[in-house]
PDB file of all heavy atoms in Angstrom:
ATOM      1  N   GLU A 103    -274.152  79.747 152.486  1.00 86.00           N
ATOM      2  CA  GLU A 103    -274.448  79.703 151.054  1.00 86.00           C
ATOM      3  C   GLU A 103    -273.529  80.657 150.290  1.00 86.00           C
ATOM      4  O   GLU A 103    -273.049  80.334 149.202  1.00 86.00           O
ATOM      5  CB  GLU A 103    -275.914  80.043 150.797  1.00 86.00           C
ATOM      6  CG  GLU A 103    -276.341  79.826 149.365  1.00 86.00           C
ATOM      7  CD  GLU A 103    -276.210  78.370 148.900  1.00 86.00           C
ATOM      8  OE1 GLU A 103    -276.443  77.451 149.690  1.00 86.00           O
ATOM      9  OE2 GLU A 103    -275.849  78.170 147.721  1.00 86.00           O
ATOM     10  N   GLU A 104    -273.254  81.796 150.880  1.00 88.00           N
ATOM     11  CA  GLU A 104    -272.366  82.780 150.250  1.00 88.00           C
ATOM     12  C   GLU A 104    -270.938  82.234 150.115  1.00 88.00           C
ATOM     13  O   GLU A 104    -270.317  82.364 149.059  1.00 88.00           O
ATOM     14  CB  GLU A 104    -272.352  84.069 151.073  1.00 88.00           C
ATOM     15  CG  GLU A 104    -271.530  85.182 150.455  1.00 88.00           C
ATOM     16  CD  GLU A 104    -271.609  86.455 151.288  1.00 88.00           C
ATOM     17  OE1 GLU A 104    -272.633  87.152 151.179  1.00 88.00           O
ATOM     18  OE2 GLU A 104    -270.652  86.707 152.036  1.00 88.00           O
ATOM     19  N   GLU A 105    -270.416  81.597 151.180  1.00 84.00           N
ATOM     20  CA  GLU A 105    -269.077  81.007 151.125  1.00 84.00           C
ATOM     21  C   GLU A 105    -269.016  79.878 150.101  1.00 84.00           C
ATOM     22  O   GLU A 105    -268.039  79.755 149.358  1.00 84.00           O
ATOM     23  CB  GLU A 105    -268.666  80.460 152.498  1.00 84.00           C
ATOM     24  CG  GLU A 105    -268.305  81.502 153.515  1.00 84.00           C
ATOM     25  CD  GLU A 105    -268.004  80.898 154.883  1.00 84.00           C
ATOM     26  OE1 GLU A 105    -268.283  79.693 155.106  1.00 84.00           O
ATOM     27  OE2 GLU A 105    -267.483  81.637 155.723  1.00 84.00           O
ATOM     28  N   ILE A 106    -270.062  79.058 150.072  1.00 75.00           N
ATOM     29  CA  ILE A 106    -270.103  77.940 149.126  1.00 75.00           C
ATOM     30  C   ILE A 106    -270.074  78.458 147.691  1.00 75.00           C
ATOM     31  O   ILE A 106    -269.316  77.965 146.854  1.00 75.00           O
ATOM     32  CB  ILE A 106    -271.333  77.040 149.381  1.00 75.00           C
ATOM     33  CG1 ILE A 106    -271.162  76.294 150.718  1.00 75.00           C
ATOM     34  CG2 ILE A 106    -271.545  76.051 148.235  1.00 75.00           C
ATOM     35  CD1 ILE A 106    -272.407  75.561 151.184  1.00 75.00           C
ATOM     36  N   GLN A 107    -270.876  79.476 147.395  1.00 83.00           N
ATOM     37  CA  GLN A 107    -270.909  80.042 146.043  1.00 83.00           C
ATOM     38  C   GLN A 107    -269.558  80.649 145.667  1.00 83.00           C
ATOM     39  O   GLN A 107    -269.073  80.467 144.553  1.00 83.00           O
ATOM     40  CB  GLN A 107    -272.017  81.075 145.921  1.00 83.00           C
ATOM     41  CG  GLN A 107    -273.396  80.470 145.889  1.00 83.00           C
ATOM     42  CD  GLN A 107    -274.497  81.524 145.786  1.00 83.00           C
ATOM     43  OE1 GLN A 107    -274.240  82.715 145.717  1.00 83.00           O
ATOM     44  NE2 GLN A 107    -275.746  81.058 145.787  1.00 83.00           N
ATOM     45  N   LYS A 108    -268.946  81.364 146.605  1.00 85.00           N
ATOM     46  CA  LYS A 108    -267.636  81.971 146.352  1.00 85.00           C
ATOM     47  C   LYS A 108    -266.602  80.881 146.075  1.00 85.00           C
ATOM     48  O   LYS A 108    -265.827  80.971 145.120  1.00 85.00           O
ATOM     49  CB  LYS A 108    -267.201  82.818 147.546  1.00 85.00           C
ATOM     50  CG  LYS A 108    -265.838  83.439 147.382  1.00 85.00           C
ATOM     51  CD  LYS A 108    -265.428  84.214 148.628  1.00 85.00           C
ATOM     52  CE  LYS A 108    -263.977  84.651 148.527  1.00 85.00           C
ATOM     53  NZ  LYS A 108    -263.454  85.176 149.770  1.00 85.00           N
ATOM     54  N   ASN A 109    -266.571  79.839 146.906  1.00 77.00           N
ATOM     55  CA  ASN A 109    -265.598  78.752 146.726  1.00 77.00           C
ATOM     56  C   ASN A 109    -265.875  77.940 145.466  1.00 77.00           C
ATOM     57  O   ASN A 109    -264.934  77.482 144.809  1.00 77.00           O
ATOM     58  CB  ASN A 109    -265.553  77.860 147.961  1.00 77.00           C
ATOM     59  CG  ASN A 109    -264.883  78.544 149.135  1.00 77.00           C
ATOM     60  OD1 ASN A 109    -264.029  79.403 148.958  1.00 77.00           O
ATOM     61  ND2 ASN A 109    -265.276  78.179 150.342  1.00 77.00           N
ATOM     62  N   ASP A 110    -267.144  77.761 145.107  1.00 80.00           N
ATOM     63  CA  ASP A 110    -267.475  77.069 143.858  1.00 80.00           C
ATOM     64  C   ASP A 110    -266.902  77.826 142.667  1.00 80.00           C
ATOM     65  O   ASP A 110    -266.366  77.233 141.726  1.00 80.00           O
ATOM     66  CB  ASP A 110    -268.990  76.920 143.694  1.00 80.00           C
ATOM     67  CG  ASP A 110    -269.576  75.785 144.500  1.00 80.00           C
ATOM     68  OD1 ASP A 110    -268.799  75.009 145.097  1.00 80.00           O
ATOM     69  OD2 ASP A 110    -270.817  75.675 144.547  1.00 80.00           O
ATOM     70  N   SER A 111    -267.009  79.154 142.711  1.00 81.00           N
ATOM     71  CA  SER A 111    -266.482  79.986 141.629  1.00 81.00           C
ATOM     72  C   SER A 111    -264.963  79.847 141.539  1.00 81.00           C
ATOM     73  O   SER A 111    -264.403  79.686 140.444  1.00 81.00           O
ATOM     74  CB  SER A 111    -266.875  81.444 141.866  1.00 81.00           C
ATOM     75  OG  SER A 111    -266.319  82.271 140.880  1.00 81.00           O
ATOM     76  N   ILE A 112    -264.287  79.881 142.686  1.00 80.00           N
ATOM     77  CA  ILE A 112    -262.831  79.714 142.720  1.00 80.00           C
ATOM     78  C   ILE A 112    -262.452  78.334 142.190  1.00 80.00           C
ATOM     79  O   ILE A 112    -261.551  78.196 141.351  1.00 80.00           O
ATOM     80  CB  ILE A 112    -262.295  79.902 144.158  1.00 80.00           C
ATOM     81  CG1 ILE A 112    -262.429  81.363 144.586  1.00 80.00           C
ATOM     82  CG2 ILE A 112    -260.840  79.448 144.267  1.00 80.00           C
ATOM     83  CD1 ILE A 112    -262.195  81.585 146.081  1.00 80.00           C
ATOM     84  N   ASP A 113    -263.138  77.289 142.666  1.00 77.00           N
ATOM     85  CA  ASP A 113    -262.828  75.918 142.245  1.00 77.00           C
ATOM     86  C   ASP A 113    -263.012  75.722 140.746  1.00 77.00           C
ATOM     87  O   ASP A 113    -262.184  75.089 140.085  1.00 77.00           O
ATOM     88  CB  ASP A 113    -263.693  74.914 143.008  1.00 77.00           C
ATOM     89  CG  ASP A 113    -263.302  74.779 144.473  1.00 77.00           C
ATOM     90  OD1 ASP A 113    -262.188  75.196 144.837  1.00 77.00           O
ATOM     91  OD2 ASP A 113    -264.123  74.255 145.247  1.00 77.00           O
ATOM     92  N   THR A 114    -264.096  76.252 140.204  1.00 78.00           N
ATOM     93  CA  THR A 114    -264.363  76.109 138.770  1.00 78.00           C
ATOM     94  C   THR A 114    -263.288  76.809 137.953  1.00 78.00           C
ATOM     95  O   THR A 114    -262.765  76.244 136.983  1.00 78.00           O
ATOM     96  CB  THR A 114    -265.755  76.671 138.425  1.00 78.00           C
ATOM     97  OG1 THR A 114    -266.735  75.939 139.160  1.00 78.00           O
ATOM     98  CG2 THR A 114    -266.035  76.559 136.940  1.00 78.00           C
ATOM     99  N   LYS A 115    -262.938  78.021 138.338  1.00 84.00           N
ATOM    100  CA  LYS A 115    -261.903  78.777 137.632  1.00 84.00           C
ATOM    101  C   LYS A 115    -260.579  78.022 137.676  1.00 84.00           C
ATOM    102  O   LYS A 115    -259.919  77.857 136.644  1.00 84.00           O
ATOM    103  CB  LYS A 115    -261.757  80.163 138.259  1.00 84.00           C
ATOM    104  CG  LYS A 115    -260.729  81.052 137.604  1.00 84.00           C
ATOM    105  CD  LYS A 115    -260.715  82.430 138.278  1.00 84.00           C
ATOM    106  CE  LYS A 115    -259.791  83.381 137.575  1.00 84.00           C
ATOM    107  NZ  LYS A 115    -258.425  83.309 137.992  1.00 84.00           N
ATOM    108  N   GLU A 116    -260.183  77.564 138.855  1.00 78.00           N
ATOM    109  CA  GLU A 116    -258.903  76.868 138.987  1.00 78.00           C
ATOM    110  C   GLU A 116    -258.900  75.522 138.270  1.00 78.00           C
ATOM    111  O   GLU A 116    -257.881  75.125 137.696  1.00 78.00           O
ATOM    112  CB  GLU A 116    -258.541  76.704 140.461  1.00 78.00           C
ATOM    113  CG  GLU A 116    -258.208  78.035 141.115  1.00 78.00           C
ATOM    114  CD  GLU A 116    -257.919  77.962 142.593  1.00 78.00           C
ATOM    115  OE1 GLU A 116    -258.244  76.930 143.236  1.00 78.00           O
ATOM    116  OE2 GLU A 116    -257.361  78.937 143.114  1.00 78.00           O
ATOM    117  N   ALA A 117    -260.011  74.819 138.285  1.00 77.00           N
ATOM    118  CA  ALA A 117    -260.090  73.531 137.580  1.00 77.00           C
ATOM    119  C   ALA A 117    -259.873  73.713 136.079  1.00 77.00           C
ATOM    120  O   ALA A 117    -259.313  72.844 135.413  1.00 77.00           O
ATOM    121  CB  ALA A 117    -261.431  72.859 137.844  1.00 77.00           C
ATOM    122  N   ASN A 118    -260.299  74.851 135.549  1.00 79.00           N
ATOM    123  CA  ASN A 118    -260.120  75.136 134.130  1.00 79.00           C
ATOM    124  C   ASN A 118    -258.731  75.665 133.796  1.00 79.00           C
ATOM    125  O   ASN A 118    -258.284  75.555 132.661  1.00 79.00           O
ATOM    126  CB  ASN A 118    -261.173  76.132 133.650  1.00 79.00           C
ATOM    127  CG  ASN A 118    -262.551  75.513 133.590  1.00 79.00           C
ATOM    128  OD1 ASN A 118    -262.703  74.361 133.215  1.00 79.00           O
ATOM    129  ND2 ASN A 118    -263.560  76.272 133.975  1.00 79.00           N
ATOM    130  N   GLU A 119    -258.047  76.258 134.782  1.00 82.00           N
ATOM    131  CA  GLU A 119    -256.762  76.902 134.517  1.00 82.00           C
ATOM    132  C   GLU A 119    -255.544  76.075 134.934  1.00 82.00           C
ATOM    133  O   GLU A 119    -254.493  76.174 134.311  1.00 82.00           O
ATOM    134  CB  GLU A 119    -256.691  78.253 135.243  1.00 82.00           C
ATOM    135  CG  GLU A 119    -257.654  79.281 134.692  1.00 82.00           C
ATOM    136  CD  GLU A 119    -257.633  80.582 135.479  1.00 82.00           C
ATOM    137  OE1 GLU A 119    -256.969  80.658 136.530  1.00 82.00           O
ATOM    138  OE2 GLU A 119    -258.306  81.525 135.023  1.00 82.00           O
ATOM    139  N   ILE A 120    -255.659  75.282 135.984  1.00 83.00           N
ATOM    140  CA  ILE A 120    -254.506  74.554 136.506  1.00 83.00           C
ATOM    141  C   ILE A 120    -254.334  73.241 135.750  1.00 83.00           C
ATOM    142  O   ILE A 120    -255.232  72.405 135.737  1.00 83.00           O
ATOM    143  CB  ILE A 120    -254.658  74.278 138.017  1.00 83.00           C
ATOM    144  CG1 ILE A 120    -254.696  75.593 138.797  1.00 83.00           C
ATOM    145  CG2 ILE A 120    -253.531  73.384 138.518  1.00 83.00           C
ATOM    146  CD1 ILE A 120    -255.035  75.431 140.278  1.00 83.00           C
ATOM    147  N   GLU A 121    -253.183  73.085 135.119  1.00 87.00           N
ATOM    148  CA  GLU A 121    -252.902  71.843 134.407  1.00 87.00           C
ATOM    149  C   GLU A 121    -252.287  70.802 135.325  1.00 87.00           C
ATOM    150  O   GLU A 121    -252.598  69.630 135.238  1.00 87.00           O
ATOM    151  CB  GLU A 121    -251.979  72.113 133.229  1.00 87.00           C
ATOM    152  CG  GLU A 121    -252.658  72.877 132.114  1.00 87.00           C
ATOM    153  CD  GLU A 121    -251.767  73.009 130.903  1.00 87.00           C
ATOM    154  OE1 GLU A 121    -250.973  72.085 130.631  1.00 87.00           O
ATOM    155  OE2 GLU A 121    -251.868  74.040 130.231  1.00 87.00           O
ATOM    156  N   ASN A 122    -251.376  71.232 136.192  1.00 90.00           N
ATOM    157  CA  ASN A 122    -250.680  70.320 137.101  1.00 90.00           C
ATOM    158  C   ASN A 122    -250.420  71.020 138.422  1.00 90.00           C
ATOM    159  O   ASN A 122    -250.091  72.204 138.445  1.00 90.00           O
ATOM    160  CB  ASN A 122    -249.321  69.889 136.532  1.00 90.00           C
ATOM    161  CG  ASN A 122    -249.462  68.982 135.347  1.00 90.00           C
ATOM    162  OD1 ASN A 122    -250.136  67.966 135.410  1.00 90.00           O
ATOM    163  ND2 ASN A 122    -248.809  69.342 134.253  1.00 90.00           N
ATOM    164  N   TYR A 123    -250.533  70.253 139.487  1.00 93.00           N
ATOM    165  CA  TYR A 123    -250.087  70.720 140.794  1.00 93.00           C
ATOM    166  C   TYR A 123    -248.828  69.932 141.099  1.00 93.00           C
ATOM    167  O   TYR A 123    -248.839  68.699 141.090  1.00 93.00           O
ATOM    168  CB  TYR A 123    -251.168  70.480 141.856  1.00 93.00           C
ATOM    169  CG  TYR A 123    -250.719  70.803 143.264  1.00 93.00           C
ATOM    170  CD1 TYR A 123    -249.972  71.934 143.532  1.00 93.00           C
ATOM    171  CD2 TYR A 123    -251.039  69.974 144.317  1.00 93.00           C
ATOM    172  CE1 TYR A 123    -249.557  72.232 144.824  1.00 93.00           C
ATOM    173  CE2 TYR A 123    -250.638  70.263 145.610  1.00 93.00           C
ATOM    174  CZ  TYR A 123    -249.891  71.402 145.854  1.00 93.00           C
ATOM    175  OH  TYR A 123    -249.475  71.697 147.130  1.00 93.00           O
ATOM    176  N   ALA A 124    -247.715  70.630 141.331  1.00 94.00           N
ATOM    177  CA  ALA A 124    -246.444  69.942 141.512  1.00 94.00           C
ATOM    178  C   ALA A 124    -245.603  70.625 142.583  1.00 94.00           C
ATOM    179  O   ALA A 124    -245.761  71.817 142.846  1.00 94.00           O
ATOM    180  CB  ALA A 124    -245.670  69.923 140.194  1.00 94.00           C
ATOM    181  N   PHE A 125    -244.724  69.839 143.185  1.00 97.00           N
ATOM    182  CA  PHE A 125    -243.763  70.349 144.159  1.00 97.00           C
ATOM    183  C   PHE A 125    -242.649  69.324 144.295  1.00 97.00           C
ATOM    184  O   PHE A 125    -242.813  68.164 143.948  1.00 97.00           O
ATOM    185  CB  PHE A 125    -244.412  70.619 145.523  1.00 97.00           C
ATOM    186  CG  PHE A 125    -245.243  69.480 146.043  1.00 97.00           C
ATOM    187  CD1 PHE A 125    -244.676  68.420 146.735  1.00 97.00           C
ATOM    188  CD2 PHE A 125    -246.620  69.470 145.834  1.00 97.00           C
ATOM    189  CE1 PHE A 125    -245.460  67.369 147.210  1.00 97.00           C
ATOM    190  CE2 PHE A 125    -247.406  68.424 146.308  1.00 97.00           C
ATOM    191  CZ  PHE A 125    -246.825  67.366 146.998  1.00 97.00           C
ATOM    192  N   ASP A 126    -241.514  69.786 144.799  1.00 97.00           N
ATOM    193  CA  ASP A 126    -240.391  68.909 145.088  1.00 97.00           C
ATOM    194  C   ASP A 126    -240.417  68.571 146.566  1.00 97.00           C
ATOM    195  O   ASP A 126    -240.737  69.427 147.396  1.00 97.00           O
ATOM    196  CB  ASP A 126    -239.060  69.587 144.759  1.00 97.00           C
ATOM    197  CG  ASP A 126    -238.909  69.888 143.273  1.00 97.00           C
ATOM    198  OD1 ASP A 126    -239.416  69.102 142.449  1.00 97.00           O
ATOM    199  OD2 ASP A 126    -238.276  70.915 142.949  1.00 97.00           O
ATOM    200  N   ILE A 127    -240.051  67.340 146.903  1.00 97.00           N
ATOM    201  CA  ILE A 127    -239.952  66.902 148.297  1.00 97.00           C
ATOM    202  C   ILE A 127    -238.472  66.757 148.612  1.00 97.00           C
ATOM    203  O   ILE A 127    -237.760  66.005 147.937  1.00 97.00           O
ATOM    204  CB  ILE A 127    -240.684  65.567 148.527  1.00 97.00           C
ATOM    205  CG1 ILE A 127    -242.162  65.695 148.167  1.00 97.00           C
ATOM    206  CG2 ILE A 127    -240.510  65.114 149.979  1.00 97.00           C
ATOM    207  CD1 ILE A 127    -242.922  64.382 148.187  1.00 97.00           C
ATOM    208  N   ILE A 128    -238.024  67.472 149.625  1.00 98.00           N
ATOM    209  CA  ILE A 128    -236.629  67.435 150.059  1.00 98.00           C
ATOM    210  C   ILE A 128    -236.611  66.889 151.488  1.00 98.00           C
ATOM    211  O   ILE A 128    -237.316  67.395 152.361  1.00 98.00           O
ATOM    212  CB  ILE A 128    -236.003  68.848 150.059  1.00 98.00           C
ATOM    213  CG1 ILE A 128    -236.245  69.580 148.747  1.00 98.00           C
ATOM    214  CG2 ILE A 128    -234.525  68.776 150.440  1.00 98.00           C
ATOM    215  CD1 ILE A 128    -235.646  68.942 147.534  1.00 98.00           C
ATOM    216  N   ILE A 129    -235.796  65.863 151.725  1.00 97.00           N
ATOM    217  CA  ILE A 129    -235.654  65.319 153.079  1.00 97.00           C
ATOM    218  C   ILE A 129    -234.223  65.584 153.535  1.00 97.00           C
ATOM    219  O   ILE A 129    -233.267  65.148 152.893  1.00 97.00           O
ATOM    220  CB  ILE A 129    -235.973  63.816 153.125  1.00 97.00           C
ATOM    221  CG1 ILE A 129    -237.391  63.565 152.636  1.00 97.00           C
ATOM    222  CG2 ILE A 129    -235.773  63.278 154.546  1.00 97.00           C
ATOM    223  CD1 ILE A 129    -237.751  62.110 152.454  1.00 97.00           C
ATOM    224  N   ASN A 130    -234.112  66.343 154.627  1.00 96.00           N
ATOM    225  CA  ASN A 130    -232.809  66.655 155.199  1.00 96.00           C
ATOM    226  C   ASN A 130    -232.607  65.816 156.449  1.00 96.00           C
ATOM    227  O   ASN A 130    -233.487  65.740 157.306  1.00 96.00           O
ATOM    228  CB  ASN A 130    -232.731  68.138 155.580  1.00 96.00           C
ATOM    229  CG  ASN A 130    -232.786  69.042 154.370  1.00 96.00           C
ATOM    230  OD1 ASN A 130    -232.019  68.878 153.437  1.00 96.00           O
ATOM    231  ND2 ASN A 130    -233.715  69.986 154.377  1.00 96.00           N
ATOM    232  N   GLY A 131    -231.428  65.209 156.552  1.00 95.00           N
ATOM    233  CA  GLY A 131    -231.083  64.440 157.736  1.00 95.00           C
ATOM    234  C   GLY A 131    -229.787  64.949 158.333  1.00 95.00           C
ATOM    235  O   GLY A 131    -228.858  65.289 157.594  1.00 95.00           O
ATOM    236  N   THR A 132    -229.745  65.009 159.662  1.00 95.00           N
ATOM    237  CA  THR A 132    -228.560  65.469 160.368  1.00 95.00           C
ATOM    238  C   THR A 132    -228.210  64.446 161.446  1.00 95.00           C
ATOM    239  O   THR A 132    -229.102  63.971 162.159  1.00 95.00           O
ATOM    240  CB  THR A 132    -228.831  66.832 161.054  1.00 95.00           C
ATOM    241  OG1 THR A 132    -229.298  67.756 160.061  1.00 95.00           O
ATOM    242  CG2 THR A 132    -227.590  67.378 161.708  1.00 95.00           C
ATOM    243  N   GLN A 133    -226.945  64.115 161.560  1.00 95.00           N
ATOM    244  CA  GLN A 133    -226.508  63.178 162.583  1.00 95.00           C
ATOM    245  C   GLN A 133    -226.802  63.753 163.960  1.00 95.00           C
ATOM    246  O   GLN A 133    -226.597  64.933 164.220  1.00 95.00           O
ATOM    247  CB  GLN A 133    -225.004  62.922 162.458  1.00 95.00           C
ATOM    248  CG  GLN A 133    -224.482  61.960 163.500  1.00 95.00           C
ATOM    249  CD  GLN A 133    -222.996  61.670 163.333  1.00 95.00           C
ATOM    250  OE1 GLN A 133    -222.446  61.857 162.256  1.00 95.00           O
ATOM    251  NE2 GLN A 133    -222.376  61.215 164.385  1.00 95.00           N
ATOM    252  N   ILE A 134    -227.303  62.874 164.861  1.00 91.00           N
ATOM    253  CA  ILE A 134    -227.540  63.294 166.245  1.00 91.00           C
ATOM    254  C   ILE A 134    -226.629  62.501 167.166  1.00 91.00           C
ATOM    255  O   ILE A 134    -226.259  61.365 166.873  1.00 91.00           O
ATOM    256  CB  ILE A 134    -229.023  63.144 166.660  1.00 91.00           C
ATOM    257  CG1 ILE A 134    -229.533  61.719 166.449  1.00 91.00           C
ATOM    258  CG2 ILE A 134    -229.903  64.140 165.928  1.00 91.00           C
ATOM    259  CD1 ILE A 134    -230.943  61.466 166.940  1.00 91.00           C
TER     260      ILE A 134
END
């Protein structure tokens, strides 16, 4: 119950603050 309450608090805060989650995907290829 303690972990759930702590994570609920984190989730609520982040849901209100984070507008976008973004990252770039880079694919590297090397001849074998």
Side-chain angles (χ1 to χ4, degrees):
E103 188 61 36
E104 184 177 282
E105 286 176 348
I106 291 170
Q107 287 179 1
K108 178 183 171 191
N109 288 332
D110 281 353
S111 177
I112 291 168
D113 289 343
T114 300
K115 181 178 185 274
E116 291 177 345
N118 289 322
E119 293 176 353
I120 297 172
E121 290 186 33
N122 290 306
Y123 174 42
F125 49 84
D126 296 326
I127 301 172
I128 310 298
I129 301 172
N130 294 307
T132 305
Q133 180 178 339
I134 56 175

